[in-house]
Amino acid sequence: MKKYLLVSVALIVLSLTVPSINAQAQVFSKFYPLVNQAGYNLNESKRFVCYDVPDDTPFSLINTRTGETEYEGKTLFGQGWFSDFNPVTQDEYVVEVKGKGRSVPFWIADHLMEKISSKLAYDFFIDVRGSEDPVHSNEANVYGGGPSRDQGAFGLEALYEILFYASNPALFDNWTSELGDKNTADLVDLILWHGEFAYHHIDFNGPILTRHGTLGYEGQPRMIYDYWNTLDHLAPVCAAYHSFLKPYLCKEKYQAYREECLKRWEQYERHKVVRYWTYSTKWVDRGFQEFNEMGNVFGQSVFSNLFMYLSELQEPDGQPDKFLKYAQESAQDIIDNWDFNNPRHMWWIRNGEHITPQALGFFLMVAPDKAPEGTKEKLAAWAKHIKGKCNNCWQYRSHSETEMAHPLTKELGGAPALGGSLFAAAHLLDDKSLRQLGWAQVDFVFGANPVGAHIGHKSDERVAKNGYWEGVENGWPDAHPNGYGKLGSCRGTLEGTPLDSQFPKANASKDTKNDLDNIGNKCYATEGWAISNRGWMATLTFSTLGSHTLAVFNSNNQIIQQAKVGDKIRIELKAALNINWDKKDKGWVEVSIGKDVARKVIVIETGKNSGVFTTDYTVPEQAEGKILKVSYGYLGFDKVQNIQIIK
């Protein structure tokens, strides 16, 4: 049964007295246990926050259906952990802390977060397009001049949509009815739409409505509009053509995209890290800025050049070495110049901050032997820095010793995007603590924060169109629906995060109002922004690195690397494909023999909510002496098993 049907019953049965938050910003009367309101993934980190609870205070997890206590523990550092609690049913639970009350109810289930978030993550980008027609859209009516409303071409939508699909492709085949070809995954159609937009607006150079922009180099004339970022959309499309887009993107169109990239790459300065500068008069970041929140940060050129490298590797007349050299030089720039103590390289740029560690991670994922010396070490140094900044009960990346968050505005580039960077680093550095910290960022997004609310506003309009996260009781208290982009009705929009004053501080004086009773109407909400949601999509993307596995077994249930012709082998995939709790789900893997083109083979869930997908496969005669390759995913996210077929 879905959570929204259970909540009212559970509240009655257990007589829960949980404060609520609404658009009028009702405030908490006390610190009570704050949880991820939707719930937690099986076999992953699970925690709640109860800010002022003494260490060693007992807590328990109560099943809302049975009323039985199923887990007990003690608090530490304002938190309680129950990571080892992995129930086999999809019941709901509440946390009860002695003397502090009970939390809202939540689920614990196989890949729960991916189940409730994956479609919403790209639905947002469907809804915020400035036009349904990528060719004839009027940029002057799209504030910022890009494919998404209130956005420019700096959004890198195509790049992150491609990584999202590559991380878990079979999942997106479940949703095909929203746009484009109804036999094609909506996410694939969306990628194609963004590719077309970039291609047809590659010469556009503003002005944008009344906004002429102020970007430019320090001490030099500033450009009107950074149309150059259109190539950063086309490059990943070219790489994806050779990995998964070929059935959907005709060769002629791909070659047209490739030709524009090759012709304009150096002219548009895609071959290096570009130092953008802007003078901001906004109250949030007034002054002359190195880089900015628009995505022009360390790492953008690493991504783009690596995509061109991967694409050109597949072309008979390709130039992969040239783009690899550019990628290496850009990564070296990060290694040499990325300063964790310079806020303009870190939290100050807010929505762009996640790109840098993810770009280094991507290099190590797709070409680890070609990454510059020191790439992994730089990523490890960043991870160590972030760990130190998250040493608080919220596990929120603080600004400094005295400031937790920005005092005036949202931090949407923080927790929603930081999870993805931590997941990537955890995978590449084999550091489980980083993965746990990544899940803490997800918890923060879903309500384990000082406001106790999900950072997306739960409007009736969004709920009515299935545009909100299932199982979340309290959404962000306020919203700003009618800004430049008019994004109030868009599905999956993120609105805001706690301000510095909303983080309770143990050493604060009474008149500083740093406690939950003084939140009042200060829950600042922005309109939402494509590059804020891009960061959340990245978190969902990189989370799969630590939870997807692929294995091949023989008839004796042994993992194998060799097989014979005629052998019946079992392919087993564990992936975030469990979207129906009342039936077995399906997925697919790709199987190829030697140099033959890979074909999709259906895998079926072994039982309801098992999260394990299998199929039996008989090794054919033509495989003798060749490699039977089984794979799932693309572009560094692929899980691969190569089986040698012997006589």
Side-chain angles (χ1 to χ4, degrees), residues 144-164:
S148 301
R149 304 199 299 276
D150 198 11
Q151 180 67 21
F154 43 73
L156 307 182
E157 293 95 331
L159 189 162
Y160 276 93
E161 287 161 6
I162 283 168
L163 294 183
F164 195 30

Side-chain angles (χ1 to χ4, degrees), residues 53 87 92 95 215 299 336 347 443 464 502 527 555 569 612 624:
V53 68
E92 286 189 306
V95 168
L215 293 178
D336 294 341
W347 60 264
D443 298 339
Q502 291 165 327
E527 182 186 9
S555 57
I569 59 178
V612 179
E624 183 177 334

Side-chain angles (χ1 to χ4, degrees), residues 457-614:
H457 181 62
K458 189 178 181 180
S459 69
D460 292 340
E461 186 176 12
R462 290 179 192 168
V463 171
K465 60 171 64 174
N466 295 319
Y468 199 75
W469 291 264
E470 189 177 2
V472 173
E473 286 80 15
N474 297 320
W476 197 247
D478 207 351
H480 181 55
N482 294 311
Y484 287 111
K486 298 188 182 302
L487 306 182
S489 65
C490 295
R491 294 169 292 177
T493 301
L494 305 178
E495 260 84 12
T497 57
L499 305 179
D500 185 62
S501 63
Q502 291 165 327
F503 282 88
K505 297 182 176 70
N507 297 324
S509 61
K510 291 293 184 180
D511 59 358
T512 58
K513 298 183 178 181
N514 280 315
D515 62 77
L516 295 182
D517 287 332
N518 288 293
I519 288 176
N521 291 311
K522 296 180 181 179
C523 291
Y524 175 90
T526 184
E527 182 186 9
W529 214 8
I531 47 178
S532 300
N533 274 72
R534 176 193 71 197
W536 173 240
M537 179 183 285
T539 287
L540 294 173
T541 298
F542 287 98
S543 71
T544 62
L545 288 174
S547 67
H548 285 193
T549 62
L550 180 66
V552 180
F553 297 83
N554 62 17
S555 57
N556 294 322
N557 203 34
Q558 297 170 319
I559 293 178
I560 58 172
Q561 280 78 46
Q562 288 185 339
K564 296 180 180 180
V565 170
D567 282 356
K568 180 176 285 188
I569 59 178
R570 188 178 86 253
I571 300 170
E572 180 181 285
L573 173 68
K574 294 181 181 178
L577 299 172
N578 181 15
I579 62 170
N580 297 291
W581 285 351
D582 56 354
K583 67 178 183 180
K584 295 180 181 180
D585 286 297
K586 294 182 180 180
W588 49 260
V589 297
E590 289 188 320
V591 178
S592 62
I593 298 171
K595 296 182 179 180
D596 293 348
V597 175
R599 66 183 184 90
K600 292 179 180 178
V601 174
I602 299 297
V603 291
I604 300 175
E605 198 171 12
T606 57
K608 294 179 182 178
N609 306 313
S610 72
V612 179
F613 298 79
T614 67

Side-chain angles (χ1 to χ4, degrees), residues 301-506:
S301 58
V302 174
F303 267 128
S304 299
N305 282 291
L306 283 174
F307 281 124
M308 287 303 295
Y309 164 69
L310 295 172
S311 178
E312 290 296 288
L313 274 176
Q314 307 301 318
E315 292 293 337
D317 62 342
Q319 306 172 53
D321 292 342
K322 179 178 78 169
F323 291 101
L324 176 61
K325 179 175 178 289
Y326 291 157
Q328 291 169 331
E329 290 172 347
S330 297
Q332 190 65 51
D333 196 325
I334 296 174
I335 294 168
D336 294 341
N337 297 306
W338 188 20
D339 181 0
F340 309 139
N341 295 311
N342 182 347
R344 286 176 173 82
H345 292 184
M346 302 293 285
W347 60 264
W348 199 311
I349 56 175
R350 302 194 299 278
N351 295 289
E353 180 186 2
H354 70 98
I355 294 174
T356 317
Q358 290 169 13
L360 287 185
F362 188 64
F363 210 143
L364 294 171
M365 288 165 63
V366 299
D369 58 328
K370 293 179 170 54
E373 183 178 353
T375 300
K376 181 176 284 190
E377 289 75 11
K378 190 70 174 185
L379 187 62
W382 169 84
K384 181 179 180 180
H385 173 83
I386 292 296
K387 281 183 179 181
K389 290 294 184 181
C390 292
N391 188 26
N392 54 77
C393 72
W394 311 102
Q395 297 191 24
Y396 180 83
R397 191 281 315 277
S398 62
H399 287 184
S400 66
E401 294 296 323
T402 58
E403 186 178 83
M404 285 292 295
H406 201 288
L408 296 174
T409 187
K410 86 291 188 193
E411 288 281 341
L412 286 173
L418 180 57
S421 302
L422 290 164
F423 290 143
H427 170 71
L428 293 162
L429 302 174
D430 193 23
D431 186 337
K432 293 182 179 179
S433 67
L434 290 174
R435 186 164 181 83
Q436 293 169 353
L437 191 57
W439 284 115
Q441 310 311 305
V442 175
D443 298 339
F444 192 95
V445 169
F446 276 75
N449 61 60
V451 180
H454 188 288
I455 68 173
H457 181 62
K458 189 178 181 180
S459 69
D460 292 340
E461 186 176 12
R462 290 179 192 168
V463 171
K465 60 171 64 174
N466 295 319
Y468 199 75
W469 291 264
E470 189 177 2
V472 173
E473 286 80 15
N474 297 320
W476 197 247
D478 207 351
H480 181 55
N482 294 311
Y484 287 111
K486 298 188 182 302
L487 306 182
S489 65
C490 295
R491 294 169 292 177
T493 301
L494 305 178
E495 260 84 12
T497 57
L499 305 179
D500 185 62
S501 63
Q502 291 165 327
F503 282 88
K505 297 182 176 70

